[in-house]
Amino acid sequence: MPQVVRPRIAVLHGTHPASPLPQRFRSLADREAVEVLHRAARVLVASLPVLTDRLVEALYEQEPGYRAAIESDRAEIWQEVHHSLRHNVGSLIQPREFREAAHRTSRRIGEIRAEQGVPLDAVLHAFRMGGAMVWQDLVDETARRDPDDVRLLVHVAADVWNFVDEHCGIVGDAYRQAERRLSWRRENQQRLMIAALLDGTARIADLCEAAAMLGLPEQGRYAVLAVASAPRGPQRPGPARPPLNLPAALPVAAPYGQSGPGLPHVRPDTAPPPTAFPGTAPLWHTGPDAEFAILRLTGDPGGPGDPGELHAIAAALDAPAGTRAGIGSAVEGLAALGDARRLAETALRACPASGGTVLLDEHLPDALVVTSPALGSALADRVLGPLDRLDPSDRDVILETLTAWLDADGSAQRAGARLYCHRNTVLNRLRRFEQLTGRCLTRPRDAVEVSLALAARRLLAP
């Protein structure tokens, strides 16, 4: 059977050339064996409808991966099998005329089965079942015509099965290529949908589709995490991708090939392991200045879905030095993810330049300052401006003492312990601040203004 197949070793190494084989290639079968093969193959071509019926029925009974497709549209599967058999059996008789058509048919079958989600193993098994049925019919027809000729088929057996292997390789290649295209298309659609949700531009009519696409409940409880690294100079523009370990409250995975900062890739059909907080893997999106992750919260009253869940996530978040992370307030439903992203950005701006994690709900005064930087700077100049006339080292000592005293809830004793000085030293520095600024720290209004001014000086400093 010259110019029909390649040696089996080439098939095993995955090479499937589409161009005809060189003229110098010669089959191991002699002319007499090829003639016997051709006679039997012509009989099969004449009875292809019956052979197609038998193969479709065998696929339905023996290959579970094909059963749903056959039940859905048996006529379409029948036409596909008939088309494939016609070209492949024809290739045994006239390889030059049918080779390319047979290849195109096998490639198309691989692409269609990938789009339908039929497992590749099932597709390859179906091709081998077809090859086995064709071979058996060749043997039976030869035995019916002249039993003595059956021995000649031994000479072409390797060629026939090499032919089957070749088409299995073609189907497998086409299937994997189509699978990659589908995966890329699906990932791109998900990427665009996540971007629309976080931008707040997703249409209400699309929320149901988005929920199904992303595997999230439309009315679930969510928060957004924003992550960025400290600037590394003009050579590193754009958002940072620092390594980041999420707490056990969230499965560490990114679906459908997406990868967040330091997260391993997980196949979409792989279920996340059970965790203390049964949530969904965070969905990552790259913004112009930061990485964003959609966090699904459990929402159990009094459980991990209450405000304590965000606190637990913030407390357990493990980020390298210099990484800034902000967690916005919880929102209800996918439609509110745009608000959640803006809240996360506010929390990120409230994070010190040196790095750390800020939970917005616990830093609302700082959030007020960063959301209106012009007013924050004006307040800092108004309240702390008189200190700028001091020597910088003297000014910094007063500001450090004032910050420590506020952090210690107004306790000079605890502030002194933090600063390694006597409580009277703390009180003297505070008194000097009041004299220089005209503020009274025991007056609630002044205390609020001083606290906000310190936050503005810390967060808005150039």
Side-chain angles (χ1 to χ4, degrees):
M1 190 174 56
Q3 302 181 12
V4 174
V5 294
R6 300 163 294 108
R8 184 178 301 267
I9 187 66
V11 174
L12 296 178
H13 282 77
T15 57
H16 311 292
S19 57
L21 294 177
Q23 290 292 333
R24 63 180 178 273
F25 180 87
R26 291 293 181 269
S27 170
L28 295 178
D30 56 24
R31 183 179 299 275
E32 186 179 3
V34 170
E35 290 177 355
V36 169
L37 176 67
H38 287 178
R39 283 197 300 269
R42 290 189 187 96
V43 175
L44 263 63
V45 170
S47 60
L48 273 184
V50 176
L51 178 59
T52 303
D53 288 338
R54 290 168 49 213
L55 182 53
V56 171
E57 189 61 31
L59 289 174
Y60 184 82
E61 294 177 355
Q62 301 176 32
E63 181 44 68
Y66 264 75
R67 195 165 296 153
I70 294 175
E71 290 176 347
S72 175
D73 195 340
R74 191 182 190 95
E76 180 182 356
I77 299 297
W78 192 96
Q79 288 294 337
E80 179 185 283
V81 171
H82 183 269
H83 198 61
S84 178
L85 287 174
R86 180 164 60 87
H87 286 97
N88 289 334
V89 176
S91 294
L92 299 178
I93 306 170
Q94 296 175 298
R96 289 180 180 275
E97 289 77 0
F98 284 92
R99 179 185 178 85
E100 290 304 320
H103 283 188
R104 286 195 300 270
T105 301
S106 296
R107 280 193 291 267
R108 181 57 183 159
I109 291 174
E111 294 170 352
I112 292 175
R113 291 296 166 261
E115 293 171 359
Q116 294 176 338
V118 177
L120 177 57
D121 288 347
V123 180
L124 297 179
H125 182 216
F127 263 75
R128 293 190 174 99
M129 287 177 61
M133 187 171 291
V134 168
W135 174 251
Q136 187 60 50
D137 281 11
L138 291 172
V139 173
D140 291 345
E141 173 58 26
T142 301
R144 185 192 64 80
R145 185 183 182 91
D146 188 348
D148 291 338
D149 287 344
V150 172
R151 59 181 177 79
L152 294 174
L153 291 180
V154 174
H155 296 288
V156 295
D159 287 337
V160 171
W161 283 106
N162 280 345
F163 180 82
V164 174
D165 283 348
E166 178 183 21
H167 280 263
C168 285
I170 292 171
V171 168
D173 288 347
Y175 185 101
R176 283 184 283 269
Q177 291 173 8
E179 195 175 39
R180 285 193 292 270
R181 288 195 301 269
L182 291 170
S183 178
W184 178 88
R185 190 181 309 157
R186 181 171 55 246
E187 291 169 11
N188 193 50
Q189 290 174 344
Q190 290 173 340
R191 192 179 302 111
L192 293 174
M193 183 61 72
I194 292 172
L197 290 172
L198 291 175
D199 289 342
T201 57
R203 299 182 304 172
I204 297 298
D206 293 335
L207 293 181
C208 182
E209 178 186 354
M213 180 187 300
L214 302 177
L216 298 173
E218 184 176 347
Q219 299 301 326
R221 193 165 181 266
Y222 300 97
V224 172
L225 165 69
V227 184
S229 288
R232 298 186 182 181
Q235 308 92 311
R236 296 292 300 271
R241 290 178 177 267
L244 185 67
N245 294 322
L246 288 172
L250 296 166
V252 183
Y256 299 105
Q258 297 182 30
S259 56
L263 298 182
H265 173 80
V266 174
R267 284 180 54 86
D269 56 352
T270 303
T275 61
F277 298 84
T280 301
L283 302 177
W284 288 94
H285 174 71
T286 300
D289 301 310
E291 297 277 338
F292 297 95
I294 299 175
L295 310 178
R296 181 190 171 190
L297 309 177
T298 60
D300 299 330
D306 65 10
E309 182 177 8
L310 287 177
H311 182 274
I313 293 174
L317 200 63
D318 181 17
T323 300
R324 298 159 52 237
I327 303 177
S329 304
V331 297
E332 296 292 337
L334 293 177
L337 282 178
D339 294 333
R341 178 191 63 83
R342 287 185 284 273
L343 293 173
E345 286 181 321
T346 299
L348 186 62
R349 291 198 301 270
C351 189
S354 59
T357 300
V358 167
L359 179 60
L360 183 64
D361 291 345
E362 296 182 351
H363 294 81
L364 292 177
D366 292 350
L368 289 174
V369 171
V370 297
T371 52
S372 184
L375 292 178
S377 297
L379 178 63
D381 292 341
R382 178 184 177 88
V383 175
L384 305 177
L387 299 181
D388 293 334
R389 293 190 290 268
L390 299 175
D391 181 85
S393 60
D394 195 12
R395 177 198 61 202
D396 292 344
V397 167
I398 294 178
L399 291 177
E400 183 183 21
T401 302
L402 185 60
T403 301
W405 179 76
L406 290 172
D407 290 343
D409 298 327
S411 171
Q413 185 73 34
R414 294 204 301 272
R418 292 185 181 186
L419 299 172
Y420 301 101
C421 64
H422 196 273
R423 65 180 298 274
N424 290 341
T425 302
V426 172
L427 293 174
N428 290 336
R429 294 173 181 172
L430 296 178
R431 194 175 300 113
R432 188 181 179 200
F433 169 81
E434 291 177 329
Q435 292 170 353
L436 291 170
T437 62
R439 306 286 168 169
C440 178
L441 294 175
T442 59
R443 187 183 303 136
R445 180 185 180 90
D446 286 356
V448 170
E449 289 184 351
V450 169
S451 177
L452 291 175
L454 287 171
R457 180 66 64 91
R458 182 182 75 255
L459 297 172
L460 303 177

